[in-house]
Amino acid sequence: MDILIEHWQIVVGVIAALLIVMSYKSLLWLCGVIIVPDDSIGVVTKKFVLFGAHRSLPDGRIIALGGEAGYQADSLPPGLHIGLWPWQYRVEQVKFFTVPPGKVGCVEACDGKPLPSGRIVARQVECDAFQDARAFLEGGGERGPQMELIPPGTYRINTLLFTVTLTDAVTIPPGKIGVVEARDGKPLASGRVIARHVDCDSFQDAKAFMAGGGERGPQMAVITPGSYRINPYLFALQTADAIDIPDNKVGIVTTREGQPLGKGEIAGPVVDGHDLFQKPQVFVDRGGSKGLQEQVLLAGRYYLNPRFATIEVVDMFDVPIAHVGVVIAYVGREGQDVTGDTFRHGNLVSKGEKGVWVEPLDPGKYPMNPYTHKVSNVPTANVVLNWATGKTEAHKLDANLSTISVRSADGFKFNLDVSQIIHIPRNDAPKVIARFGDMSALVTQVLEPTIGNYFRNAAQGSDIIDFLKNRSLRQTEARDAISAALREYNVGAVDTLIGDIVPPEELMKTLTDRKIAEQERVTYETQRQAQVVKQQLEQATALAATQAKVVDAERQVAIAEFNARANVKSAEGTAEAKKINASADAQVLRTVGEAEAAKTQAVGGAEAEVIKLKIASMESGNYAIVQVAEALSKAGVKLVPDV
């Protein structure tokens, strides 16, 4: 309060100035003068009509065009306006409406013609971006959500007629697409699931869409990455991923719109001009069929409408090195057999026709639809097949083959492993597939029974020992016989190899024992020969060691021969001397002996006469006892004991 008292002069001056200004504006207002600032417009409401006129608005209208009382269609631009008496007019100043960058203005009109039945968006009327309300109403503008949008900028919008709502412009980021559904337009034709395409500047020109006969519902066209001014009253939009097909892959396409597939067809034929299904309307207009498509998408990015087509990404067909790919086509025009009368086991057709193609694919990768074409890889290098349980090659064609069980002519059952090497020439590969369908069928239908039965028959014509001994011959015979049999199936038999032969255990034991005995015999013979050689060696060694002695002995023999000759001469002389002496001695002994003999004879004769006389005097038995007693007596033997 003290401050106010102290500065009362300033306060009085301010109050006076305000009163002057207010009085000036009030004076102008009272005089019917309205000043509209440069950044605003004046929206006018007429309270009544002067001079007793009783004109009123038509039924259902709220904006006046002919001076009727009520909200006025004409607004006041910036500047000085007169004749707007305050008791008759109410003027409200409204700032210019600004649509910033990245936004759009969505407009609703509260007056105009009613929307036709079934329509939800009002038709577009030329009205200078809704800045000319009179032109809007006089041009037949319809009330409700408007088709036209207000782009970024500043506008004089009569807010008594129009309500403007800011919304973001539509932005489709990279790698995405915009999928559109129209809320208004013609109804879809019977049997259609997606609306036909209408040129409308990526749905930014709603008037062109409606004028071109745009249909409500899912739209064929999509919006590619970028920014767009799309009316949310008319179009609903969702983003979806663009289709990326990686390298070495293909995209299998199935469409939801088009002509029905022909009778007996499983996929739609190739149609040109639709930019790989990115222009669905062109596809439909050129007779494309709904459903699975024969044409595939290669590696790359595609802006495909997911409501028009679905994509399945699969591997490309791979034909490895040392193989060819035989194509079986399920689609295409009906083919003519190109094999002639020499091949009667299936038809081979030209490329692009339905059936087995006569020309195979060389090694490489091929973008083909696996649902419309089948590629059977046939090896052109040598293929080894094993009839051996638990043994299989990398190709797995022999995974179900097992050791062959046979019976010999002498009733023995035994097993043998067999390996068959085959070769299929490049140009014969389609014939093999046309005949059998695939390589596994060739193995099960031809190779397995042919080879198995051959060896069973061969075993029954021979006893087991002969079969084992003549294995090499059996192998040669098998190769020739199997080669001739497979030639009829366009298959080359390179070689037939007999592997492990497993005879019965009891026979194997017998053969083993026999072999062991033979080996022992050989061992003993070898040892004997070794001993002989050893003996000869020792003899030679001993001979060499005694060679010096032999020489010395030979010298001694020579010396002994000389000595012997000398001794012989000496002995001859001695012998002659002894002979003479012996002759003399013999003569002496003869004479002495004869004398002694005569003496003994004389004595013995006398004793004999005495004995005869003694025996004569006693019996011969008594005489013998007497003689024994004398002998015992002379020997000192006691005949009578002491006690």
Side-chain angles (χ1 to χ4, degrees):
M1 183 62 70
D2 293 337
I3 295 176
L4 294 177
I5 294 174
E6 183 179 355
H7 300 285
W8 66 270
Q9 294 178 342
I10 297 175
V11 174
V12 171
V14 170
I15 294 173
L18 290 174
L19 290 174
I20 293 172
V21 172
M22 291 178 63
S23 298
Y24 174 75
K25 286 187 175 181
S26 298
L27 180 61
L28 293 177
W29 176 69
L30 290 174
C31 294
V33 178
I34 299 296
I35 299 175
V36 179
D38 293 340
D39 62 349
S40 302
I41 62 171
V43 294
V44 181
T45 302
K46 193 173 186 178
K47 299 178 182 179
F48 58 89
V49 178
L50 294 174
F51 308 117
H54 296 287
R55 290 180 297 174
S56 60
L57 290 172
D59 292 340
R61 299 292 296 273
I62 62 173
I63 303 297
L65 291 173
E68 300 91 347
Y71 297 144
Q72 301 300 300
D74 299 321
S75 60
L76 303 179
L80 179 65
H81 302 274
I82 60 176
L84 299 172
W85 310 107
W87 57 85
Q88 187 178 11
Y89 296 96
R90 183 175 69 248
V91 178
E92 181 182 357
Q93 295 183 3
V94 177
K95 293 289 187 181
F96 292 164
F97 189 85
T98 299
V99 179
K103 300 282 187 177
V104 292
C106 299
V107 182
E108 287 190 55
C110 63
D111 201 356
K113 292 183 177 182
L115 285 174
S117 177
R119 296 284 300 279
I120 63 172
V121 179
R123 68 184 183 87
Q124 186 170 334
V125 176
E126 294 298 331
C127 56
D128 191 17
F130 302 102
Q131 297 180 104
D132 191 344
R134 178 174 292 277
F136 175 82
L137 293 173
E138 291 179 347
E142 299 169 341
R143 67 182 63 192
Q146 298 299 302
M147 190 177 295
E148 184 180 3
L149 295 175
I150 301 177
T154 300
Y155 301 88
R156 302 173 183 176
I157 304 297
N158 189 336
T159 56
L160 298 177
L161 176 59
F162 300 112
T163 301
V164 183
T165 305
L166 290 177
T167 186
D168 292 330
V170 173
T171 299
I172 307 298
K176 300 285 187 177
I177 58 172
V179 181
V180 181
E181 183 172 351
R183 295 190 172 101
D184 202 349
K186 293 182 178 181
L188 283 176
S190 177
R192 296 280 300 279
V193 297
I194 191 168
R196 67 183 186 87
H197 172 68
V198 175
D199 289 331
C200 55
D201 191 19
S202 297
F203 302 99
Q204 298 181 105
D205 191 344
K207 182 179 180 180
F209 176 82
M210 298 298 291
E215 300 170 333
R216 65 182 63 191
Q219 301 296 303
M220 280 191 179
V222 297
I223 303 175
T224 55
S227 294
Y228 302 88
R229 300 168 186 170
I230 296 178
N231 193 330
Y233 294 144
L234 180 57
F235 301 110
L237 187 140
Q238 294 179 337
T239 58
D241 292 329
I243 301 298
D244 289 317
I245 308 296
D247 292 337
N248 299 320
K249 302 281 187 177
V250 293
I252 309 303
V253 182
T254 302
T255 61
R256 294 191 175 98
E257 192 63 83
Q259 299 295 325
L261 287 175
K263 185 178 180 180
E265 297 294 335
I266 65 170
V270 177
V271 176
D272 296 327
H274 51 77
D275 192 19
L276 297 172
F277 304 97
Q278 296 179 103
K279 296 179 179 178
Q281 190 62 54
V282 176
F283 173 83
V284 172
D285 292 343
R286 297 194 177 183
S289 300
K290 65 177 65 176
L292 177 66
Q293 301 298 308
E294 178 183 351
Q295 186 176 6
V296 299
L297 302 179
L298 301 181
R301 172 166 287 182
Y302 300 88
Y303 297 120
L304 290 176
N305 191 335
R307 296 183 179 179
F308 167 71
T310 58
I311 309 299
E312 178 186 358
V313 179
V314 299
D315 293 328
M316 298 177 70
F317 278 115
D318 183 15
V319 180
I321 299 296
H323 289 72
V324 294
V326 178
V327 180
I328 304 173
Y330 305 121
V331 295
R333 61 185 180 275
E334 292 298 327
Q336 298 294 325
D337 184 27
V338 297
T339 58
D341 296 333
T342 58
F343 185 77
R344 300 180 180 179
H345 306 283
N347 293 337
L348 297 180
V349 299
S350 300
K351 182 178 180 181
E353 298 178 340
K354 187 183 297 186
V356 181
W357 292 358
V358 68
E359 185 65 24
L361 304 178
D362 291 317
K365 291 190 175 183
Y366 297 87
M368 302 182 72
N369 191 328
Y371 299 113
T372 61
H373 295 79
K374 177 182 177 182
V375 178
S376 293
N377 286 330
V378 177
T380 53
N382 289 349
V383 177
V384 179
L385 301 171
N386 298 302
W387 275 257
T389 302
K391 182 180 180 182
T392 182
E393 300 293 330
H395 50 65
K396 301 298 182 182
L397 291 174
D398 54 358
N400 296 325
L401 300 179
S402 59
T403 299
I404 300 174
S405 180
V406 300
R407 188 178 297 276
S408 63
D410 49 1
F412 285 102
K413 184 178 180 181
F414 62 98
N415 298 328
L416 70 156
D417 295 341
V418 176
S419 294
Q420 178 65 49
I421 305 174
I422 64 172
H423 170 70
I424 300 176
R426 176 187 183 277
N427 293 333
D428 285 339
K431 295 180 180 179
V432 172
I433 297 303
R435 187 194 298 262
F436 299 106
D438 54 34
M439 287 294 295
S440 60
L442 168 65
V443 173
T444 57
Q445 296 178 20
V446 174
L447 294 174
E448 183 176 9
T450 299
I451 293 176
N453 288 336
Y454 172 81
F455 281 103
R456 293 185 185 95
N457 294 336
Q460 289 179 354
S462 170
D463 59 58
I464 187 170
I465 301 300
D466 181 67
F467 192 93
L468 293 173
K469 288 182 177 180
N470 297 305
R471 169 177 170 166
S472 177
L473 176 61
R474 300 293 180 190
Q475 186 167 279
T476 302
E477 292 174 347
R479 180 180 64 247
D480 296 340
I482 294 172
S483 177
L486 296 184
R487 195 176 299 116
E488 297 182 5
Y489 300 98
N490 302 102
V491 178
V494 179
D495 203 356
T496 303
L497 305 174
I498 299 177
D500 191 18
I501 300 177
V502 184
E505 184 176 354
E506 60 274 15
L507 178 62
M508 194 65 185
K509 184 177 185 307
T510 301
L511 295 176
T512 302
D513 293 342
R514 181 186 301 175
K515 191 65 177 178
I516 291 174
E518 292 177 355
Q519 293 299 322
E520 289 179 347
R521 181 181 61 79
V522 172
T523 301
Y524 296 154
E525 178 63 20
T526 302
Q527 291 176 348
R528 186 189 66 78
Q529 293 178 358
Q531 292 297 328
V532 171
V533 172
K534 180 179 180 181
Q535 182 179 2
Q536 292 175 351
L537 176 62
E538 290 178 350
Q539 289 177 352
T541 302
L543 180 61
T546 59
Q547 188 64 34
K549 295 181 179 180
V550 170
V551 175
D552 184 63
E554 289 178 351
R555 299 295 301 169
Q556 292 294 333
V557 168
I559 294 172
E561 286 181 354
F562 288 113
N563 292 333
R565 291 175 184 173
N567 291 333
V568 167
K569 295 296 184 181
S570 176
E572 287 178 351
T574 303
E576 187 64 27
K578 289 184 176 181
K579 183 177 179 181
I580 296 173
N581 292 330
S583 178
D585 291 338
Q587 186 65 33
V588 172
L589 290 174
R590 188 179 307 112
T591 304
V592 173
E594 290 177 353
E596 288 292 331
K599 176 180 178 181
T600 302
Q601 183 177 10
V603 173
E607 289 180 353
E609 288 294 330
V610 173
I611 292 172
K612 289 181 179 180
L613 292 177
K614 290 181 179 180
I615 293 172
S617 61
M618 64 184 68
E619 292 181 356
S620 58
N622 294 329
Y623 180 77
I625 295 172
V626 172
Q627 289 297 317
V628 170
E630 288 181 357
L632 292 174
S633 176
K634 289 180 180 180
V637 176
K638 292 183 179 183
L639 299 177
V640 179
D642 293 335
V643 181

